[in-house]
């Protein structure tokens, strides 16, 4: 139980940034192409790290990856990859950077088949599972 009287998962109390994330984003659907591309990209960068590291670096990620605009990131080339590898504000992992650029290209290509949002939504169950008590 938090000081505000609200019950939250224990990990949310580890840092004010985690608490804000839990209260405003965690478990909420992401329904825009750009939002989904950002979340997928950040989740990939998080691999092997804590989510808090990524949240702290999120403003730098957004600046480095053009606010995760798939159209812009899909056009990134070797000079952008070099720039990103030198950016201490983000996680400097060449494989993850290249994957993000390739994923942006895939997001743009998906538009001909309904888009990223439609693809993700196609996996949503017909009925939302209800927690068992």
């Amino acid at each position: 139980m938090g000081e505000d009287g609200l019950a939250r998962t224990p990990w949310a109390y580890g840092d004010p940034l985690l608490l804000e994330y839990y209260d405003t984003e965690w478990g909420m659907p992401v329904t825009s192409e750009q939002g989904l591309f950002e979340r997928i990209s950040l989740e990939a960068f998080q691999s092997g790290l804590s989510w808090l590291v990524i949240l702290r670096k999120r403003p730098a990620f957004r600046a480095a990856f053009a606010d995760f605009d798939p159209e812009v990131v899909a056009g990134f080339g070797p000079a952008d990859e070099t720039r990103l590898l030198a950016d201490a504000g983000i996680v400097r992992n060449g494989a993850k950077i290249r994957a993000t650029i390739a994923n942006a290209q895939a997001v743009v290509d998906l538009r001909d088949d309904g888009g990223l949002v439609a693809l993700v939504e196609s996996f949503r169950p017909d009925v939302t599972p209800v927690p068992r008590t």
Side-chain angles (χ1 to χ4, degrees):
M1 189 70 67
E3 292 178 10
D4 57 6
L6 297 177
R8 297 179 183 88
T9 186
W11 64 258
Y13 295 106
D15 185 276
L17 198 53
L18 287 172
L19 187 61
E20 178 185 348
Y21 175 77
Y22 181 85
D23 284 350
T24 62
E25 295 182 65
W26 189 80
M28 302 299 293
V30 181
T31 58
S32 70
E33 178 186 78
Q34 193 166 340
L36 283 172
F37 176 58
E38 176 179 353
R39 183 66 57 86
I40 290 166
S41 299
L42 293 177
E43 291 282 354
F45 276 101
Q46 185 266 333
S47 178
L49 303 170
S50 76
W51 187 240
L52 182 57
V53 168
I54 300 304
L55 287 177
R56 287 179 177 152
K57 291 179 174 281
R58 185 159 56 171
F61 272 112
R62 286 177 172 164
F65 285 96
D67 286 324
F68 290 97
D69 181 331
E71 195 88 30
V72 175
V73 178
F76 281 9
D80 294 295
E81 188 176 331
T82 300
R83 170 183 58 82
L84 293 166
L85 284 168
D87 187 341
I90 67 169
V91 174
R92 295 177 288 180
N93 178 301
K96 293 176 182 183
I97 289 168
R98 288 187 296 279
T100 301
I101 295 167
N103 286 343
Q105 294 163 347
V107 169
V108 171
D109 291 344
L110 272 172
R111 291 175 181 167
D112 292 336
D113 294 319
L116 179 62
V117 173
L119 175 67
V120 171
E121 288 294 317
S122 74
F123 291 96
R124 181 183 295 244
D126 292 331
V127 177
T128 302
V130 177
R132 289 178 273 175
T133 57

